[in-house]
Amino acid sequence: MSQEPPEKMMFQLTLRRRGISDLAVLRTMEEVPREAFVAPGDRGHAYRDSALGIACGQTISQPFVVAYMTEQLQLQKNHKVLEIGTGSGYQAAVLSRLCAHVLTIERYRTLADAARARLEKLGYYNIEVMLGDGFDVPAGAGDFDRIIVTAAMEQIPDNLLQRLQPGGILIAPVGPHHGTQTLVRVVRTESGFERKELVDVRFVPALRGIAREL
Ligand code: SAH
């Protein structure tokens, strides 16, 4: 018999029932301790399939959405991945187990510092947390095999698409800042970009510039 607490068993069942089938993704969702990424008062709810509030008025995404976006990225062990919107660092932790390196960018210093410390403490060593603006990724960071945006963009900026390697995949919630967005998956092909709309989601807005408040 498994010694797993019932809420973690339910967590896996919910992900499977909602259609997550990639075993590497399911295993990673099981391994990454979501309770270490939520606010202390929310630890008892960490394995519910819902978004939760974190500092700076932001949210840690719903586990199903984290798993779904990760699955859609079709990560390989050698991939270099960019995440825009570090938040708690949870999505970055999940990605990091399935690829070579994650650069994750956050516009709030408080969140970036907390995520960096948390990830280091938990032993996720292939993640770089950067304070910055995901609309303005430093050129020195190079190009990426995969890009994941975890804040709502009204449209996908062309300069972000240009940072994808050939064959690369970008996934982002696209739509109005307040309301429902659609997850969009863009594949960079030899000749251009192929775009596909996936499911409806709700994310906090992607805003320009480093936040002036902490
Ligand atoms: N992926 C996170 C949840 C993201 S919430 C997790 O796993 O916990 C969205 C985050 O995107 C917020 O923390 C917000 O501050 C950040 N964000 C919004 N616009 C941004 C931008 N232009 N650049 C970097 N981060 C941004």
Side-chain angles (χ1 to χ4, degrees), residues 58-59 83 85-86 88 91 106-108 111 133-134 150 206-207:
Q58 306 303 312
T59 53
E83 180 192 27
T86 310
S88 67
Q91 173 77 73
E106 170 57 54
R107 65 187 291 275
Y108 278 97
L111 292 175
D133 177 3
T150 61
L207 303 173

Side-chain angles (χ1 to χ4, degrees), residues 70-107:
T70 305
E71 186 171 58
Q72 289 293 326
L73 283 176
Q74 300 181 317
L75 294 168
Q76 291 171 19
K77 278 290 175 199
N78 62 341
H79 280 164
K80 178 179 156 193
V81 179
L82 170 68
E83 180 192 27
I84 296 174
T86 310
S88 67
Y90 178 66
Q91 173 77 73
V94 170
L95 297 169
S96 76
R97 302 301 302 263
L98 298 163
C99 70
H101 190 262
V102 180
L103 170 63
T104 178
I105 303 183
E106 170 57 54
R107 65 187 291 275

Side-chain angles (χ1 to χ4, degrees), residues 25-123:
V25 173
L26 286 166
R27 201 176 314 122
T28 303
M29 294 297 293
E30 189 165 9
E31 283 168 7
V32 177
R34 191 168 185 257
E35 76 273 7
F37 293 84
V38 302
D42 276 331
R43 295 224 168 104
H45 310 314
Y47 294 98
R48 288 194 192 161
D49 193 26
S50 56
L52 294 166
I54 56 172
C56 306
Q58 306 303 312
T59 53
I60 175 172
S61 309
Q62 179 190 353
F64 166 70
V65 173
V66 172
Y68 182 77
M69 291 175 86
T70 305
E71 186 171 58
Q72 289 293 326
L73 283 176
Q74 300 181 317
L75 294 168
Q76 291 171 19
K77 278 290 175 199
N78 62 341
H79 280 164
K80 178 179 156 193
V81 179
L82 170 68
E83 180 192 27
I84 296 174
T86 310
S88 67
Y90 178 66
Q91 173 77 73
V94 170
L95 297 169
S96 76
R97 302 301 302 263
L98 298 163
C99 70
H101 190 262
V102 180
L103 170 63
T104 178
I105 303 183
E106 170 57 54
R107 65 187 291 275
Y108 278 97
R109 183 181 293 278
T110 303
L111 292 175
D113 287 349
R116 192 181 299 113
R118 177 181 292 131
L119 290 164
E120 201 168 296
K121 184 170 157 225
L122 292 169

